[in-house]
Amino acid sequence: MIDKGTFGTLKALYHTFGCKLNFAETSTVARQFAAEGITRVSAGEKPDIIVVNTCSVTELADKKCRQTIRSYHRRYPDADIIVTGCYAQLKPEESASLEGVAVVAGNDRKADLTTFLHNWLETRSPMRFVKPSASIADFTPSCSRGDRTRYFLKVQDGCDYWCTYCTIPAARGRSRSATVAEIVTQAREAAADGAKEIVITGVNIGDFGKRIAISHPSGKRILTKGTETFLDLIKELDNIEGIERYRISSIEPNLLTDEIIEFCAGSRRFMPHFHIPLQCGSDEVLRLMHRHYDTTLFRHKIERIRQLIPHAFIGVDLIVGARGETDEEFLASKQFVESLPITRLHIFPYSERPGTKALEIAHTVTQEEKHRRVNEMLRISEQKMHGFARQFIGSVRPVLLEHGKSGAPMSGFTDNYLKVSVDAPAELDNTIVGVRLLELIPTDIGDWHLRGELAERPASNSEK
């Protein structure tokens, strides 16, 4: 155990599981710790504090969190471990029982970790700060710098949907957000820090503005009904000078309004890139999942994007093997997916989650059948992705470049989210340049990327 009277000499290690929202929040925690004099551990150093920001989207995610915490304790037995995030929120007793864990903090208490650490150092008494998700009223803004060029801006938290397979509402609480003005301030700060691209993140970002977390005279934070919308937010973000690219992370199809699609089609800064969860292409399974749309609405959204932004990348989330997905319903889902002009599938085998309504659905799918169905959908995804990428070979697209590993060429993403490697001088790091796309190259991990070359034609984000 560390025995330091002040934070000044402490070193911290941060480990984040799960979504981009978690990464944004971990970055905020690291900045708060740095303000207290706690430095990030360097290679070869031993940490005094380990912060594990957890995920609980599947049983496998829970298992990985437990394994990682145990591994850190074995490797650094003198370090004090702080566990936060969704696994901590849903299973606080289990989290606290793991050896080496000093503090367990719920999702709404991440902004208080420095206070909790102070208390721990003074009392040496293990602490647990987790309250029922239904009573969570705070919204903690956060913006993190990701992979050298992209920033992740948290605009919303929580979810009110309670889909039958999902534990996220229990882990994250009710939908809530900050004001447009607060989010715009954070984006301007990122621009001043040199950000070129911002990914807009949240749990259910299309619900932005439904409830606003505000300060009460008593000092507490309360939730009040909001009047601002996600469309209001992106319109204001579009006006910020310095940010050249925005990407919208996963947005529910029923909340992706035609007005949002039309705005993105005419925007210079919002990229032709959408990520939309389908979860299943069967209306019956969507009904069992308690999703808020059907396949007719979903098809309309995809076709509207293709009509207005023909070159847009459209990623789609899909759960395979959910309860209620009979052979017939899987075939309907497969045929629906095949018929859509989408770019790529993000496929997840269904995972049983304790306490969810899905457990009341009688029909189950074996692990072997889930595996077979996943492979079928993967083949469809690969065909669609290769077909999408091939149509751009020979064209010039704007790419935001970043340094590769030592000796490797630079790489980056086109406006429509195609990964490209290109030989370019180091001074072009974090710069948008025109790149001619030459060929598809397979990688040693079963994936692929595009090879390109610098083009004389100037880069532009307006080509959509």
Side-chain angles (χ1 to χ4, degrees):
M1 294 291 183
I2 57 177
D3 189 17
K4 309 278 177 68
T6 66
F7 284 173
T9 56
L10 299 183
K11 295 184 181 295
L13 183 155
Y14 302 92
H15 190 112
T16 305
F17 288 96
C19 59
K20 294 180 177 68
L21 182 58
N22 260 8
F23 281 87
E25 291 169 340
T26 298
S27 181
T28 297
V29 171
R31 287 199 300 271
Q32 291 172 339
F33 276 25
E36 296 281 348
I38 303 172
T39 57
R40 191 183 289 265
V41 70
S42 300
E45 294 181 327
K46 292 184 178 180
D48 301 299
I49 305 155
I50 300 172
V51 178
V52 184
N53 193 357
T54 61
C55 175
S56 189
V57 70
T58 64
E59 183 58 39
L60 180 60
D62 286 0
K63 182 179 179 180
K64 287 181 178 179
C65 291
R66 290 191 296 270
Q67 289 175 336
T68 297
I69 293 166
R70 289 169 177 148
S71 175
Y72 277 136
H73 179 63
R74 289 193 298 268
R75 187 176 178 184
Y76 306 111
D78 294 329
D80 293 315
I81 301 174
I82 298 173
V83 182
T84 187
C86 291
Y87 173 64
Q89 180 72 38
L90 291 174
K91 298 183 178 179
E93 295 84 3
E94 186 173 290
S95 301
S97 71
L98 299 173
E99 285 191 84
V101 173
V103 176
V104 176
N107 267 321
D108 65 318
R109 309 308 298 272
K110 293 174 184 178
D112 301 321
L113 291 185
T114 52
T115 299
F116 299 158
L117 183 58
H118 269 297
N119 294 341
W120 160 252
L121 293 176
E122 290 176 0
T123 66
R124 295 296 173 182
S125 176
M127 299 175 184
R128 200 163 63 210
F129 303 95
V130 179
K131 62 184 178 183
S133 299
S135 64
I136 294 176
D138 277 347
F139 177 85
T140 304
S142 58
C143 185
S144 70
R145 188 169 187 176
D147 50 3
R148 293 188 291 265
T149 60
R150 286 187 289 177
Y151 284 63
F152 298 98
L153 177 63
K154 174 184 172 182
V155 304
Q156 182 273 341
D157 204 346
C159 184
D160 296 336
Y161 276 11
W162 289 102
C163 299
T164 57
Y165 57 84
C166 186
T167 59
I168 296 304
R172 284 280 183 176
R174 292 180 293 173
S175 179
R176 61 203 184 276
S177 55
T179 63
V180 168
E182 289 172 314
I183 299 301
V184 166
T185 296
Q186 287 222 311
R188 286 198 175 113
E189 290 172 355
D193 192 42
K196 293 291 193 300
E197 181 173 313
I198 287 179
V199 181
I200 301 170
T201 67
V203 175
N204 189 357
I205 61 174
D207 235 2
F208 175 87
K210 181 177 183 178
R211 298 187 190 93
I212 302 294
I214 63 171
S215 297
H216 189 268
S218 67
K220 295 182 179 181
R221 296 274 284 178
I222 62 171
L223 292 180
T224 184
K225 184 177 180 181
T227 58
E228 297 174 321
T229 67
F230 186 68
L231 181 59
D232 295 329
L233 173 66
I234 63 176
K235 284 181 176 179
E236 289 300 316
L237 291 175
D238 201 48
N239 292 325
I240 297 176
E241 293 300 324
I243 304 299
E244 299 189 45
R245 291 180 163 189
Y246 291 101
R247 296 190 191 273
I248 298 173
S249 65
S250 181
I251 182 168
E252 292 288 311
N254 54 298
L255 298 176
L256 178 60
T257 65
D258 286 2
E259 290 79 11
I260 291 172
I261 297 170
E262 290 159 10
F263 174 79
C264 291
S267 166
R268 184 183 68 82
R269 292 187 169 99
F270 275 81
M271 295 296 96
H273 177 197
F274 293 86
H275 189 127
I276 312 169
L278 170 60
Q279 309 307 18
C280 188
S282 155
D283 283 328
E284 173 59 18
V285 177
L286 290 176
R287 184 188 66 80
L288 291 171
M289 289 178 166
H290 288 184
R291 298 297 285 164
H292 290 238
Y293 53 88
D294 58 15
T295 55
T296 299
L297 183 143
F298 195 90
R299 181 183 297 280
H300 166 73
K301 299 302 178 182
I302 300 300
E303 291 178 348
R304 186 62 175 155
I305 293 170
R306 279 282 169 253
Q307 178 187 17
L308 295 179
I309 319 173
H311 302 314
F313 184 106
I314 306 176
V316 170
D317 287 342
L318 193 73
I319 296 173
V320 172
R323 283 190 174 229
E325 189 183 76
T326 63
D327 292 345
E328 293 76 17
E329 300 305 337
F330 172 71
L331 180 60
S333 181
K334 177 183 172 183
Q335 291 173 341
F336 179 71
V337 167
E338 287 177 319
S339 73
L340 293 173
I342 59 176
T343 306
R344 190 173 196 172
L345 295 169
H346 302 267
I347 304 163
F348 307 90
Y350 169 72
S351 175
E352 302 272 47
R353 305 301 290 135
T356 57
K357 287 287 187 179
L359 299 181
E360 300 173 7
I361 301 170
H363 179 83
T364 60
V365 180
T366 66
Q367 291 300 118
E368 293 78 13
E369 179 61 14
K370 285 182 194 176
H371 182 71
R372 187 190 71 80
R373 293 179 186 183
V374 165
N375 285 334
E376 281 200 46
M377 290 298 192
L378 280 173
R379 284 192 290 271
I380 295 170
S381 179
E382 289 169 1
Q383 290 169 0
K384 287 184 176 293
M385 187 67 195
H386 280 77
F388 178 78
R390 279 195 299 268
Q391 66 181 305
F392 300 106
I393 291 177
S395 67
V396 175
R397 307 295 297 186
V399 176
L400 178 57
L401 291 178
E402 65 181 27
H403 286 301
K405 295 180 180 178
S406 179
M410 296 184 78
S411 64
F413 288 91
T414 65
D415 54 339
N416 59 344
Y417 207 59
L418 295 171
K419 188 170 184 179
V420 184
S421 63
V422 58
D423 289 322
E427 59 265 25
L428 292 181
D429 183 48
N430 200 30
T431 301
I432 296 175
V433 299
V435 173
R436 181 171 286 103
L437 309 181
L438 300 177
E439 61 177 337
L440 280 167
I441 303 291
T443 70
D444 55 4
I445 59 173
D447 203 352
W448 60 272
H449 67 275
L450 284 158
R451 184 176 68 84
E453 64 180 6
L454 293 179
E456 294 181 3
R457 175 179 162 187
S460 171
N461 277 329
S462 62
E463 183 177 359
K464 292 197 175 184

PDB file of all heavy atoms in Angstrom, residues 28-51:
ATOM      1  N   THR A  28     -10.695  12.781 -18.735  1.00  0.00           N
ATOM      2  CA  THR A  28     -11.048  13.842 -17.788  1.00  0.00           C
ATOM      3  C   THR A  28     -10.502  13.519 -16.403  1.00  0.00           C
ATOM      4  O   THR A  28      -9.951  14.390 -15.712  1.00  0.00           O
ATOM      5  CB  THR A  28     -12.569  14.026 -17.725  1.00  0.00           C
ATOM      6  OG1 THR A  28     -13.030  14.453 -19.010  1.00  0.00           O
ATOM      7  CG2 THR A  28     -12.960  15.069 -16.693  1.00  0.00           C
ATOM      8  N   VAL A  29     -10.632  12.257 -15.966  1.00  0.00           N
ATOM      9  CA  VAL A  29     -10.083  11.850 -14.666  1.00  0.00           C
ATOM     10  C   VAL A  29      -8.576  12.067 -14.636  1.00  0.00           C
ATOM     11  O   VAL A  29      -8.026  12.585 -13.653  1.00  0.00           O
ATOM     12  CB  VAL A  29     -10.419  10.369 -14.386  1.00  0.00           C
ATOM     13  CG1 VAL A  29      -9.661   9.865 -13.155  1.00  0.00           C
ATOM     14  CG2 VAL A  29     -11.915  10.185 -14.190  1.00  0.00           C
ATOM     15  N   ALA A  30      -7.888  11.689 -15.721  1.00  0.00           N
ATOM     16  CA  ALA A  30      -6.432  11.851 -15.764  1.00  0.00           C
ATOM     17  C   ALA A  30      -6.036  13.321 -15.672  1.00  0.00           C
ATOM     18  O   ALA A  30      -5.044  13.662 -15.003  1.00  0.00           O
ATOM     19  CB  ALA A  30      -5.882  11.237 -17.052  1.00  0.00           C
ATOM     20  N   ARG A  31      -6.804  14.216 -16.309  1.00  0.00           N
ATOM     21  CA  ARG A  31      -6.503  15.653 -16.207  1.00  0.00           C
ATOM     22  C   ARG A  31      -6.743  16.152 -14.786  1.00  0.00           C
ATOM     23  O   ARG A  31      -5.966  16.971 -14.272  1.00  0.00           O
ATOM     24  CB  ARG A  31      -7.362  16.445 -17.199  1.00  0.00           C
ATOM     25  CG  ARG A  31      -6.938  16.289 -18.648  1.00  0.00           C
ATOM     26  CD  ARG A  31      -7.503  17.417 -19.519  1.00  0.00           C
ATOM     27  NE  ARG A  31      -8.957  17.439 -19.494  1.00  0.00           N
ATOM     28  CZ  ARG A  31      -9.735  16.757 -20.324  1.00  0.00           C
ATOM     29  NH1 ARG A  31      -9.176  15.965 -21.230  1.00  0.00           N
ATOM     30  NH2 ARG A  31     -11.050  16.843 -20.263  1.00  0.00           N
ATOM     31  N   GLN A  32      -7.791  15.667 -14.124  1.00  0.00           N
ATOM     32  CA  GLN A  32      -8.049  16.073 -12.746  1.00  0.00           C
ATOM     33  C   GLN A  32      -6.938  15.589 -11.816  1.00  0.00           C
ATOM     34  O   GLN A  32      -6.492  16.328 -10.937  1.00  0.00           O
ATOM     35  CB  GLN A  32      -9.405  15.516 -12.287  1.00  0.00           C
ATOM     36  CG  GLN A  32     -10.595  16.165 -12.974  1.00  0.00           C
ATOM     37  CD  GLN A  32     -11.905  15.472 -12.650  1.00  0.00           C
ATOM     38  OE1 GLN A  32     -11.918  14.308 -12.249  1.00  0.00           O
ATOM     39  NE2 GLN A  32     -13.015  16.177 -12.822  1.00  0.00           N
ATOM     40  N   PHE A  33      -6.483  14.366 -12.018  1.00  0.00           N
ATOM     41  CA  PHE A  33      -5.376  13.856 -11.211  1.00  0.00           C
ATOM     42  C   PHE A  33      -4.099  14.658 -11.475  1.00  0.00           C
ATOM     43  O   PHE A  33      -3.351  14.977 -10.541  1.00  0.00           O
ATOM     44  CB  PHE A  33      -5.147  12.377 -11.529  1.00  0.00           C
ATOM     45  CG  PHE A  33      -6.037  11.431 -10.772  1.00  0.00           C
ATOM     46  CD1 PHE A  33      -7.269  11.828 -10.281  1.00  0.00           C
ATOM     47  CD2 PHE A  33      -5.640  10.117 -10.543  1.00  0.00           C
ATOM     48  CE1 PHE A  33      -8.096  10.967  -9.579  1.00  0.00           C
ATOM     49  CE2 PHE A  33      -6.456   9.233  -9.846  1.00  0.00           C
ATOM     50  CZ  PHE A  33      -7.683   9.653  -9.359  1.00  0.00           C
ATOM     51  N   ALA A  34      -3.858  14.972 -12.750  1.00  0.00           N
ATOM     52  CA  ALA A  34      -2.654  15.756 -13.087  1.00  0.00           C
ATOM     53  C   ALA A  34      -2.681  17.115 -12.422  1.00  0.00           C
ATOM     54  O   ALA A  34      -1.643  17.631 -11.978  1.00  0.00           O
ATOM     55  CB  ALA A  34      -2.538  15.895 -14.601  1.00  0.00           C
ATOM     56  N   ALA A  35      -3.863  17.733 -12.326  1.00  0.00           N
ATOM     57  CA  ALA A  35      -3.991  19.029 -11.658  1.00  0.00           C
ATOM     58  C   ALA A  35      -3.645  18.932 -10.177  1.00  0.00           C
ATOM     59  O   ALA A  35      -3.266  19.927  -9.553  1.00  0.00           O
ATOM     60  CB  ALA A  35      -5.406  19.567 -11.828  1.00  0.00           C
ATOM     61  N   GLU A  36      -3.771  17.735  -9.613  1.00  0.00           N
ATOM     62  CA  GLU A  36      -3.424  17.507  -8.205  1.00  0.00           C
ATOM     63  C   GLU A  36      -1.967  17.073  -8.045  1.00  0.00           C
ATOM     64  O   GLU A  36      -1.523  16.783  -6.937  1.00  0.00           O
ATOM     65  CB  GLU A  36      -4.338  16.427  -7.612  1.00  0.00           C
ATOM     66  CG  GLU A  36      -5.804  16.807  -7.555  1.00  0.00           C
ATOM     67  CD  GLU A  36      -6.126  17.723  -6.384  1.00  0.00           C
ATOM     68  OE1 GLU A  36      -5.262  17.876  -5.499  1.00  0.00           O
ATOM     69  OE2 GLU A  36      -7.227  18.295  -6.371  1.00  0.00           O
ATOM     70  N   GLY A  37      -1.239  16.995  -9.148  1.00  0.00           N
ATOM     71  CA  GLY A  37       0.165  16.607  -9.088  1.00  0.00           C
ATOM     72  C   GLY A  37       0.435  15.138  -9.308  1.00  0.00           C
ATOM     73  O   GLY A  37       1.576  14.683  -9.209  1.00  0.00           O
ATOM     74  N   ILE A  38      -0.612  14.364  -9.629  1.00  0.00           N
ATOM     75  CA  ILE A  38      -0.440  12.929  -9.889  1.00  0.00           C
ATOM     76  C   ILE A  38      -0.052  12.750 -11.347  1.00  0.00           C
ATOM     77  O   ILE A  38      -0.799  13.110 -12.241  1.00  0.00           O
ATOM     78  CB  ILE A  38      -1.729  12.147  -9.583  1.00  0.00           C
ATOM     79  CG1 ILE A  38      -2.164  12.363  -8.136  1.00  0.00           C
ATOM     80  CG2 ILE A  38      -1.531  10.659  -9.854  1.00  0.00           C
ATOM     81  CD1 ILE A  38      -3.513  11.781  -7.802  1.00  0.00           C
ATOM     82  N   THR A  39       1.112  12.206 -11.594  1.00  0.00           N
ATOM     83  CA  THR A  39       1.603  12.058 -12.960  1.00  0.00           C
ATOM     84  C   THR A  39       1.261  10.680 -13.520  1.00  0.00           C
ATOM     85  O   THR A  39       1.099   9.711 -12.774  1.00  0.00           O
ATOM     86  CB  THR A  39       3.124  12.266 -13.034  1.00  0.00           C
ATOM     87  OG1 THR A  39       3.768  11.330 -12.155  1.00  0.00           O
ATOM     88  CG2 THR A  39       3.492  13.678 -12.608  1.00  0.00           C
ATOM     89  N   ARG A  40       1.164  10.620 -14.829  1.00  0.00           N
ATOM     90  CA  ARG A  40       0.894   9.344 -15.497  1.00  0.00           C
ATOM     91  C   ARG A  40       2.166   8.501 -15.482  1.00  0.00           C
ATOM     92  O   ARG A  40       3.264   9.010 -15.756  1.00  0.00           O
ATOM     93  CB  ARG A  40       0.434   9.583 -16.924  1.00  0.00           C
ATOM     94  CG  ARG A  40      -0.121   8.343 -17.610  1.00  0.00           C
ATOM     95  CD  ARG A  40      -0.486   8.657 -19.049  1.00  0.00           C
ATOM     96  NE  ARG A  40      -1.657   9.502 -19.145  1.00  0.00           N
ATOM     97  CZ  ARG A  40      -2.901   9.044 -19.315  1.00  0.00           C
ATOM     98  NH1 ARG A  40      -3.116   7.739 -19.382  1.00  0.00           N
ATOM     99  NH2 ARG A  40      -3.909   9.890 -19.418  1.00  0.00           N
ATOM    100  N   VAL A  41       2.037   7.222 -15.172  1.00  0.00           N
ATOM    101  CA  VAL A  41       3.195   6.342 -15.079  1.00  0.00           C
ATOM    102  C   VAL A  41       3.860   6.198 -16.444  1.00  0.00           C
ATOM    103  O   VAL A  41       3.196   6.148 -17.482  1.00  0.00           O
ATOM    104  CB  VAL A  41       2.768   4.969 -14.511  1.00  0.00           C
ATOM    105  CG1 VAL A  41       1.914   4.203 -15.516  1.00  0.00           C
ATOM    106  CG2 VAL A  41       3.975   4.152 -14.098  1.00  0.00           C
ATOM    107  N   SER A  42       5.174   6.161 -16.459  1.00  0.00           N
ATOM    108  CA  SER A  42       5.935   5.964 -17.693  1.00  0.00           C
ATOM    109  C   SER A  42       6.330   4.502 -17.817  1.00  0.00           C
ATOM    110  O   SER A  42       6.246   3.723 -16.856  1.00  0.00           O
ATOM    111  CB  SER A  42       7.197   6.835 -17.685  1.00  0.00           C
ATOM    112  OG  SER A  42       6.868   8.200 -17.587  1.00  0.00           O
ATOM    113  N   ALA A  43       6.765   4.127 -19.016  1.00  0.00           N
ATOM    114  CA  ALA A  43       7.174   2.741 -19.263  1.00  0.00           C
ATOM    115  C   ALA A  43       8.272   2.344 -18.286  1.00  0.00           C
ATOM    116  O   ALA A  43       9.239   3.082 -18.088  1.00  0.00           O
ATOM    117  CB  ALA A  43       7.651   2.593 -20.697  1.00  0.00           C
ATOM    118  N   GLY A  44       8.118   1.188 -17.659  1.00  0.00           N
ATOM    119  CA  GLY A  44       9.115   0.690 -16.719  1.00  0.00           C
ATOM    120  C   GLY A  44       8.903   1.132 -15.289  1.00  0.00           C
ATOM    121  O   GLY A  44       9.546   0.607 -14.373  1.00  0.00           O
ATOM    122  N   GLU A  45       8.018   2.107 -15.059  1.00  0.00           N
ATOM    123  CA  GLU A  45       7.740   2.575 -13.705  1.00  0.00           C
ATOM    124  C   GLU A  45       6.607   1.771 -13.078  1.00  0.00           C
ATOM    125  O   GLU A  45       5.768   1.211 -13.770  1.00  0.00           O
ATOM    126  CB  GLU A  45       7.374   4.057 -13.710  1.00  0.00           C
ATOM    127  CG  GLU A  45       8.490   4.988 -14.131  1.00  0.00           C
ATOM    128  CD  GLU A  45       8.062   6.445 -14.077  1.00  0.00           C
ATOM    129  OE1 GLU A  45       6.878   6.729 -14.335  1.00  0.00           O
ATOM    130  OE2 GLU A  45       8.932   7.297 -13.783  1.00  0.00           O
ATOM    131  N   LYS A  46       6.585   1.775 -11.733  1.00  0.00           N
ATOM    132  CA  LYS A  46       5.501   1.120 -11.010  1.00  0.00           C
ATOM    133  C   LYS A  46       4.476   2.160 -10.584  1.00  0.00           C
ATOM    134  O   LYS A  46       4.833   3.187 -10.015  1.00  0.00           O
ATOM    135  CB  LYS A  46       6.048   0.389  -9.784  1.00  0.00           C
ATOM    136  CG  LYS A  46       6.918  -0.815 -10.110  1.00  0.00           C
ATOM    137  CD  LYS A  46       7.347  -1.538  -8.844  1.00  0.00           C
ATOM    138  CE  LYS A  46       8.171  -2.781  -9.180  1.00  0.00           C
ATOM    139  NZ  LYS A  46       8.597  -3.503  -7.951  1.00  0.00           N
ATOM    140  N   PRO A  47       3.212   1.896 -10.826  1.00  0.00           N
ATOM    141  CA  PRO A  47       2.180   2.857 -10.421  1.00  0.00           C
ATOM    142  C   PRO A  47       1.865   2.759  -8.932  1.00  0.00           C
ATOM    143  O   PRO A  47       1.974   1.684  -8.326  1.00  0.00           O
ATOM    144  CB  PRO A  47       0.972   2.435 -11.257  1.00  0.00           C
ATOM    145  CG  PRO A  47       1.152   0.958 -11.435  1.00  0.00           C
ATOM    146  CD  PRO A  47       2.643   0.740 -11.542  1.00  0.00           C
ATOM    147  N   ASP A  48       1.498   3.884  -8.354  1.00  0.00           N
ATOM    148  CA  ASP A  48       0.962   3.902  -6.995  1.00  0.00           C
ATOM    149  C   ASP A  48      -0.548   3.707  -7.009  1.00  0.00           C
ATOM    150  O   ASP A  48      -1.127   3.161  -6.070  1.00  0.00           O
ATOM    151  CB  ASP A  48       1.275   5.245  -6.320  1.00  0.00           C
ATOM    152  CG  ASP A  48       2.761   5.526  -6.245  1.00  0.00           C
ATOM    153  OD1 ASP A  48       3.473   4.737  -5.605  1.00  0.00           O
ATOM    154  OD2 ASP A  48       3.209   6.529  -6.844  1.00  0.00           O
ATOM    155  N   ILE A  49      -1.185   4.199  -8.090  1.00  0.00           N
ATOM    156  CA  ILE A  49      -2.634   4.150  -8.239  1.00  0.00           C
ATOM    157  C   ILE A  49      -2.954   3.573  -9.605  1.00  0.00           C
ATOM    158  O   ILE A  49      -2.298   3.917 -10.599  1.00  0.00           O
ATOM    159  CB  ILE A  49      -3.248   5.561  -8.139  1.00  0.00           C
ATOM    160  CG1 ILE A  49      -2.824   6.242  -6.840  1.00  0.00           C
ATOM    161  CG2 ILE A  49      -4.767   5.514  -8.251  1.00  0.00           C
ATOM    162  CD1 ILE A  49      -2.865   7.753  -6.941  1.00  0.00           C
ATOM    163  N   ILE A  50      -3.953   2.724  -9.655  1.00  0.00           N
ATOM    164  CA  ILE A  50      -4.428   2.186 -10.925  1.00  0.00           C
ATOM    165  C   ILE A  50      -5.922   2.472 -11.022  1.00  0.00           C
ATOM    166  O   ILE A  50      -6.690   2.075 -10.144  1.00  0.00           O
ATOM    167  CB  ILE A  50      -4.174   0.673 -11.043  1.00  0.00           C
ATOM    168  CG1 ILE A  50      -2.675   0.378 -10.935  1.00  0.00           C
ATOM    169  CG2 ILE A  50      -4.733   0.123 -12.353  1.00  0.00           C
ATOM    170  CD1 ILE A  50      -2.346  -1.109 -10.848  1.00  0.00           C
ATOM    171  N   VAL A  51      -6.310   3.182 -12.067  1.00  0.00           N
ATOM    172  CA  VAL A  51      -7.718   3.490 -12.304  1.00  0.00           C
ATOM    173  C   VAL A  51      -8.211   2.602 -13.441  1.00  0.00           C
ATOM    174  O   VAL A  51      -7.685   2.661 -14.558  1.00  0.00           O
ATOM    175  CB  VAL A  51      -7.934   4.975 -12.667  1.00  0.00           C
ATOM    176  CG1 VAL A  51      -9.412   5.249 -12.950  1.00  0.00           C
ATOM    177  CG2 VAL A  51      -7.424   5.880 -11.541  1.00  0.00           C
TER     178      VAL A  51
END
